Amino acid sequence: MRTMTIKELFDVGVSFESSVGEGTRSERDRIPKNYSRINLPDEMILNISEINKEINFLISGEIWCPDYQLNATVLKKFTELNSKFNISVISMARGKKFLAPLLGLEDPKWPIITVLDKDFNILGIFNERPKPVRAFSNFDDIKLDYYKGKYLLDAAYEFLEMINKAK
Protein backbone atom coordinates (compact mmCIF):
# COMPACT_ATOMS: atom_id res chain seq x y z
CA MET A 1 0.00 0.00 0.00
CA ARG A 2 1.26 3.46 -0.88
CA THR A 3 1.92 5.83 2.00
CA MET A 4 2.43 9.56 2.17
CA THR A 5 4.33 11.71 4.64
CA ILE A 6 2.71 14.65 6.37
CA LYS A 7 4.76 17.00 4.18
CA GLU A 8 3.60 15.21 1.02
CA LEU A 9 0.00 15.48 2.20
CA PHE A 10 0.48 19.17 2.92
CA ASP A 11 2.02 19.71 -0.51
CA VAL A 12 -0.90 18.07 -2.38
CA GLY A 13 -3.53 19.96 -0.42
CA VAL A 14 -5.38 23.02 -1.64
CA SER A 15 -5.89 26.45 -0.10
CA PHE A 16 -8.75 27.15 2.26
CA GLU A 17 -10.34 29.33 -0.42
CA SER A 18 -10.16 26.55 -3.01
CA SER A 19 -11.76 24.08 -0.62
CA VAL A 20 -14.56 26.53 0.13
CA GLY A 21 -15.05 27.09 -3.61
CA GLU A 22 -15.99 23.42 -4.00
CA GLY A 23 -19.10 23.88 -1.87
CA THR A 24 -22.67 24.69 -2.73
CA ARG A 25 -23.81 28.30 -2.49
CA SER A 26 -25.36 27.59 0.92
CA GLU A 27 -22.14 25.98 2.20
CA ARG A 28 -20.01 28.84 0.87
CA ASP A 29 -22.35 31.41 2.44
CA ARG A 30 -21.76 29.97 5.91
CA ILE A 31 -18.05 30.87 5.86
CA PRO A 32 -18.42 34.69 6.07
CA LYS A 33 -21.22 34.22 8.61
CA ASN A 34 -18.96 32.06 10.79
CA TYR A 35 -16.03 34.41 10.22
CA SER A 36 -18.07 37.35 11.51
CA ARG A 37 -18.70 35.40 14.73
CA ILE A 38 -14.98 35.01 15.53
CA ASN A 39 -14.44 37.59 18.25
CA LEU A 40 -10.88 37.10 19.46
CA PRO A 41 -9.76 39.11 22.50
CA ASP A 42 -7.25 41.86 21.72
CA GLU A 43 -4.57 40.04 23.72
CA MET A 44 -5.02 36.90 21.62
CA ILE A 45 -4.89 38.90 18.38
CA LEU A 46 -1.62 40.49 19.50
CA ASN A 47 -0.22 37.13 20.61
CA ILE A 48 -1.07 35.47 17.27
CA SER A 49 0.29 38.35 15.21
CA GLU A 50 3.61 38.37 17.12
CA ILE A 51 4.41 34.66 16.79
CA ASN A 52 7.66 34.60 14.85
CA LYS A 53 7.52 30.96 13.74
CA GLU A 54 6.24 29.27 10.63
CA ILE A 55 3.18 27.20 11.50
CA ASN A 56 1.41 24.86 9.09
CA PHE A 57 -2.16 23.66 9.45
CA LEU A 58 -2.97 20.45 7.59
CA ILE A 59 -6.74 20.07 7.47
CA SER A 60 -8.52 16.92 6.35
CA GLY A 61 -12.10 17.94 5.82
CA GLU A 62 -14.68 19.17 3.37
CA ILE A 63 -16.87 22.23 3.03
CA TRP A 64 -20.19 20.39 3.47
CA CYS A 65 -19.18 19.49 7.06
CA PRO A 66 -20.44 22.05 9.63
CA ASP A 67 -17.46 21.29 11.92
CA TYR A 68 -15.13 22.16 9.04
CA GLN A 69 -17.08 25.33 8.26
CA LEU A 70 -16.70 26.49 11.86
CA ASN A 71 -13.23 25.41 12.95
CA ALA A 72 -11.28 25.79 9.72
CA THR A 73 -12.62 29.34 9.50
CA VAL A 74 -10.90 30.10 12.82
CA LEU A 75 -7.60 29.07 11.23
CA LYS A 76 -8.35 31.27 8.22
CA LYS A 77 -8.57 34.16 10.69
CA PHE A 78 -5.22 33.10 12.20
CA THR A 79 -3.54 33.18 8.76
CA GLU A 80 -4.83 36.70 8.22
CA LEU A 81 -3.28 37.78 11.52
CA ASN A 82 0.09 36.14 10.86
CA SER A 83 1.69 35.67 7.44
CA LYS A 84 3.90 32.87 8.79
CA PHE A 85 0.85 30.64 9.15
CA ASN A 86 -0.15 28.37 6.25
CA ILE A 87 -3.20 26.20 5.55
CA SER A 88 -3.43 23.16 3.31
CA VAL A 89 -6.66 21.20 2.93
CA ILE A 90 -6.91 17.57 1.87
CA SER A 91 -10.08 15.55 1.33
CA MET A 92 -11.60 13.37 4.00
CA ALA A 93 -10.86 10.34 1.82
CA ARG A 94 -7.16 11.20 1.67
CA GLY A 95 -7.23 11.89 5.40
CA LYS A 96 -8.78 8.51 6.10
CA LYS A 97 -6.37 6.64 3.83
CA PHE A 98 -3.13 8.42 4.71
CA LEU A 99 -3.37 10.95 7.55
CA ALA A 100 -5.34 9.02 10.18
CA PRO A 101 -2.89 6.07 10.12
CA LEU A 102 0.09 8.47 10.34
CA LEU A 103 -1.47 10.07 13.40
CA GLY A 104 -2.49 6.75 14.96
CA LEU A 105 -6.19 7.67 14.94
CA GLU A 106 -8.34 4.55 15.00
CA ASP A 107 -11.76 6.21 15.00
CA PRO A 108 -11.16 9.69 13.59
CA LYS A 109 -13.81 12.37 13.35
CA TRP A 110 -13.65 15.15 10.79
CA PRO A 111 -12.20 17.57 10.31
CA ILE A 112 -8.80 16.42 11.46
CA ILE A 113 -6.63 19.49 11.88
CA THR A 114 -2.94 18.81 12.40
CA VAL A 115 -0.89 21.72 13.70
CA LEU A 116 2.69 21.49 12.44
CA ASP A 117 5.91 23.42 12.86
CA LYS A 118 8.05 24.59 9.93
CA ASP A 119 9.67 21.14 9.67
CA PHE A 120 6.26 19.43 9.67
CA ASN A 121 6.66 18.04 13.19
CA ILE A 122 3.29 17.55 14.88
CA LEU A 123 2.47 20.13 17.54
CA GLY A 124 -1.08 18.95 18.10
CA ILE A 125 -4.16 17.34 16.62
CA PHE A 126 -7.65 18.84 16.65
CA ASN A 127 -10.32 16.24 16.02
CA GLU A 128 -13.77 17.43 14.91
CA ARG A 129 -14.75 19.85 17.70
CA PRO A 130 -13.14 21.84 20.53
CA LYS A 131 -12.54 19.95 23.78
CA PRO A 132 -15.31 21.73 25.75
CA VAL A 133 -17.84 20.64 23.11
CA ARG A 134 -16.57 17.06 23.08
CA ALA A 135 -16.83 17.01 26.89
CA PHE A 136 -20.63 17.23 26.76
CA SER A 137 -22.19 13.81 27.13
CA ASN A 138 -25.14 14.84 24.96
CA PHE A 139 -24.15 17.02 21.99
CA ASP A 140 -27.82 17.77 21.30
CA ASP A 141 -27.88 19.86 24.50
CA ILE A 142 -25.50 22.42 22.96
CA LYS A 143 -25.81 21.72 19.24
CA LEU A 144 -27.65 24.94 18.40
CA ASP A 145 -25.15 27.10 20.33
CA TYR A 146 -22.26 25.25 18.71
CA TYR A 147 -23.57 25.76 15.18
CA LYS A 148 -24.19 29.43 15.96
CA GLY A 149 -20.47 29.81 16.71
CA LYS A 150 -20.57 30.07 20.48
CA TYR A 151 -17.54 27.76 20.79
CA LEU A 152 -15.30 29.35 18.15
CA LEU A 153 -13.19 31.02 20.83
CA ASP A 154 -12.62 27.61 22.46
CA ALA A 155 -11.28 26.31 19.15
CA ALA A 156 -9.02 29.38 18.87
CA TYR A 157 -7.57 28.82 22.34
CA GLU A 158 -7.03 25.14 21.56
CA PHE A 159 -5.17 25.98 18.32
CA LEU A 160 -3.08 28.63 20.09
CA GLU A 161 -2.11 26.14 22.80
CA MET A 162 -0.79 23.78 20.10
CA ILE A 163 1.02 26.59 18.27
CA ASN A 164 2.78 27.62 21.47
CA LYS A 165 4.49 24.20 21.58
CA ALA A 166 6.62 25.21 18.58
CA LYS A 167 10.27 25.75 19.44
Side-chain angles (χ1 to χ4, degrees), residues 91-155:
S91 67
M92 290 172 62
R94 191 165 278 180
K96 184 175 185 176
K97 183 174 182 178
F98 298 111
L99 184 60
L102 275 172
L103 301 176
L105 300 175
E106 293 182 22
D107 186 26
K109 306 286 187 217
W110 274 264
I112 300 170
I113 300 173
T114 311
V115 181
L116 308 158
D117 68 13
K118 67 179 175 63
D119 298 316
F120 296 90
N121 296 307
I122 298 169
L123 301 173
I125 301 166
F126 181 97
N127 205 340
E128 186 183 30
R129 298 179 179 138
K131 289 176 189 171
V133 174
R134 292 194 324 260
F136 279 89
S137 58
N138 185 3
F139 178 67
D140 286 340
D141 291 344
I142 60 154
K143 181 168 41 176
L144 191 56
D145 284 342
Y146 175 71
Y147 290 138
K148 286 184 175 182
K150 299 236 166 113
Y151 292 89
L152 292 171
L153 191 55
D154 293 291

Side-chain angles (χ1 to χ4, degrees), residues 5-102:
T5 67
I6 287 182
K7 174 144 183 14
E8 289 170 330
L9 288 167
F10 191 89
D11 288 344
V12 300
V14 300
S15 69
F16 176 76
E17 294 79 9
S18 291
S19 72
V20 169
E22 295 174 8
T24 65
R25 173 175 289 241
S26 169
E27 292 162 348
R28 291 190 314 266
D29 287 348
R30 288 187 197 115
I31 300 304
K33 189 180 296 183
N34 290 333
Y35 188 92
S36 72
R37 294 174 174 158
I38 302 170
N39 297 309
L40 304 179
D42 290 343
E43 182 179 326
M44 179 183 271
I45 291 170
L46 183 63
N47 187 348
I48 293 166
S49 66
E50 291 183 341
I51 293 172
N52 193 23
K53 301 169 187 151
E54 182 180 333
I55 301 293
N56 298 301
F57 303 105
L58 175 59
I59 304 173
S60 173
E62 299 186 17
I63 186 62
W64 55 262
C65 173
D67 299 301
Y68 175 91
Q69 295 166 6
L70 289 162
N71 300 305
T73 303
V74 172
L75 292 179
K76 174 61 180 161
K77 175 78 168 182
F78 277 32
T79 64
E80 291 173 358
L81 295 170
N82 191 318
S83 62
K84 292 182 179 271
F85 292 3
N86 309 296
I87 293 178
S88 180
V89 181
I90 60 172
S91 67
M92 290 172 62
R94 191 165 278 180
K96 184 175 185 176
K97 183 174 182 178
F98 298 111
L99 184 60
L102 275 172

